[in-house]
Amino acid sequence: MNRILRQPSSYIAWPLLFACGLTALAYDLPAGYLEGMLLLVMAAVGIILFDAFAAIRLPSIARFRARDYTGSREAFVALVFAAVVIVFCGLDLALFPIPLIDNPASYATMEPGREHVRHISSLCWTLPPIGLLCTRKRGLRNALIMIGLVFPVLVIDRNRIFAALFSFALVILFRRDVRRPLPWKSVGFIGILGATVFSVLGAVRSGSLDNVNLPFSALYRAAPQGIKWLALYVSAGPYNFASMVTKGYTDAAILIGQLIPLSGPTTLAAADIPFDAPNINVGTEFLPFLLAYGPWGAVASMLLLYALLLWSVRRLRASVSLFSLLIFLRIAYVCLMSPFAPQAFIWTNAAFVILCLLMQLFAALLPTRRDDVTLPLPHEPHAWNKTRSI
């Protein structure tokens, strides 16, 4: 398990292969759709092979556990950042309708000002890892974790629920005592909680799956309703990607809108794309590149995303900095979700990475509170090893 967690391909290639396999099981694919599926599969296999030979790995579990962030300058800056996020979460709930309570359809309604508030409140997924790593006070830690998990439920944001639970579980795995068995109960509970919340919110937010007109297989139709939501969430992206490969549809507006603020539509739902089911308007991280530059553009975007993941891994390996960890958690999550929808190559994601780099720099310039302490690794004879934040 430790080996799998440390391999970059575990966060991008294997999830993509899993999504493609589930797509093959969930649909009776129309003629010609297999070509697009094979494009995704071959790119994922290529990443796995390169990953095996490149041998670029995340830091060992022992290094993660040895790093003590509490009381450090990075922890101070992170807690201030968390306080700002919590304030904006409160503003989101106080100034605008709460979708879970008032009207489920209002989750997608961005009244004047709400979109700007949501840019900050959507960072609630960072609260659980900051709570776990930056404070020893149980009340504060539990409050940060609770807010990070409850707020996305109130605004029916399934993506933020997954991001928060993914980061929460990964930090638990990274910080565990290597001498003890894997915390399967904790991680399993987080997985079951995420699947349950997702299925319930899917029904509340989007209604019945009877309104989805796609060529589902007999195996999919026989599955329970909750499993259907999860399977649809995982498989719809590769299915729509394959359909666009077959149809040869082109439209560069989505990619431009993602990369340049206020330049055009920023979501696939906002564009007039001829999906087989208009209400299932997702299509993998790589669909905007496919629409703009064709299949080779899609492959180039996959390799670019993998390169971005390797950059975050190498940066984290260098210092195990708190903000490098947050960058890695974000990039690993968007890689994990790449079979579903674009989240990596969007300006808000770039803004978060830049913000983390600036916070890391700011923390290094603060007057010394106490140096980040690295506990001795099992093979180290000396008592303490202190490292700088950057």
Side-chain angles (χ1 to χ4, degrees):
M1 185 64 181
N2 292 344
R3 183 178 177 182
I4 294 174
L5 287 174
R6 295 183 62 200
Q7 292 177 342
S9 59
S10 299
Y11 302 95
I12 179 171
W14 290 109
L16 189 57
L17 289 177
F18 174 77
C20 290
L22 186 59
T23 303
L25 294 175
Y27 301 89
D28 293 326
L29 292 174
Y33 280 37
L34 190 59
E35 179 182 346
M37 296 285 293
L38 288 176
L39 183 66
L40 295 174
V41 169
M42 294 304 294
V45 171
I47 288 173
I48 291 172
L49 293 176
F50 179 85
D51 200 44
F53 287 102
I56 299 173
R57 299 292 180 263
L58 285 161
S60 66
I61 302 299
R63 282 193 66 197
F64 276 115
R65 185 169 178 79
R67 186 64 181 266
D68 182 13
Y69 301 100
T70 56
S72 67
R73 291 170 292 178
E74 285 194 335
F76 173 75
V77 174
L79 289 171
V80 172
F81 166 75
V84 173
V85 172
I86 291 173
V87 168
F88 275 82
C89 289
L91 291 175
D92 199 328
L93 298 177
L95 301 179
F96 308 103
I98 301 175
L100 187 66
I101 298 174
D102 299 324
N103 178 15
S106 67
Y107 78 93
T109 303
M110 294 296 168
E111 296 90 346
R114 187 172 196 175
E115 182 177 5
H116 303 297
V117 172
R118 188 61 62 85
H119 285 326
I120 307 300
S121 65
S122 65
L123 297 176
C124 60
W125 67 268
T126 62
L127 300 179
I130 290 175
L132 284 174
L133 297 172
C134 296
T135 179
R136 293 191 182 95
K137 297 180 180 179
R138 179 176 297 180
L140 178 58
R141 181 172 64 247
N142 292 341
L144 289 170
I145 294 171
M146 185 64 65
I147 294 171
L149 297 180
V150 171
F151 174 77
V153 175
L154 293 176
V155 297
I156 315 184
D157 192 334
R158 294 174 294 180
N159 186 43
R160 297 294 174 250
I161 279 286
F162 275 175
L165 291 174
F166 171 80
S167 301
F168 189 36
L170 213 54
V171 169
I172 289 175
L173 290 172
F174 285 161
R175 298 282 289 184
R176 74 184 190 278
D177 188 340
V178 292
R179 296 169 297 181
R180 296 181 179 180
L182 284 167
W184 292 115
K185 291 183 179 179
S186 299
V187 175
F189 173 76
I190 292 173
I192 293 172
L193 176 64
T196 302
V197 171
F198 174 83
S199 297
V200 172
L201 291 182
V204 171
R205 175 169 157 172
S206 304
S208 173
L209 281 170
D210 294 336
N211 299 323
V212 179
N213 185 22
L214 288 173
F216 294 118
S217 66
L219 181 63
Y220 178 89
R221 297 182 187 279
Q225 189 79 356
I227 300 299
K228 285 181 178 179
W229 274 115
L230 289 171
L232 180 63
Y233 194 83
V234 174
S235 65
Y239 178 90
N240 282 335
F241 180 91
S243 74
M244 291 300 107
V245 170
T246 301
K247 295 174 182 177
Y249 180 79
T250 58
D251 184 358
I254 285 292
L255 182 59
I256 295 173
Q258 285 183 187
L259 300 177
I260 305 175
L262 306 177
S263 61
T266 58
T267 63
L268 297 175
D272 187 20
I273 301 175
F275 291 123
D276 290 3
N279 55 337
I280 305 299
N281 42 35
V282 296
T284 76
E285 181 72 52
F286 321 111
L287 182 60
F289 290 87
L290 173 71
L291 298 180
Y293 300 111
W296 286 111
V299 172
S301 68
M302 297 178 205
L303 299 179
L304 182 59
L305 181 57
Y306 177 57
L308 185 62
L309 178 63
L310 292 183
W311 170 79
S312 72
V313 169
R314 293 176 68 91
R315 185 176 181 82
L316 180 59
R317 187 179 179 85
S319 63
V320 202
S321 161
L322 174 64
F323 295 110
S324 294
L325 177 58
L326 289 178
I327 290 174
F328 167 75
L329 290 174
R330 179 58 187 170
I331 295 178
Y333 176 73
V334 299
C335 287
L336 181 73
M337 298 299 290
S338 62
F340 177 67
Q343 298 188 59
F345 303 113
I346 57 177
W347 70 267
T348 52
N349 192 55
F352 174 76
V353 173
I354 293 172
L355 178 62
C356 285
L357 295 175
L358 291 175
M359 287 194 292
Q360 186 175 0
L361 177 62
F362 180 70
L365 297 176
L366 286 177
T368 303
R369 293 165 56 87
R370 110 171 141 70
D371 286 342
D372 296 311
V373 175
T374 302
L375 299 177
L377 297 179
H379 62 277
E380 291 179 335
H382 50 279
W384 293 96
N385 174 34
K386 294 186 177 181
T387 60
R388 291 183 60 84
S389 298
I390 295 183

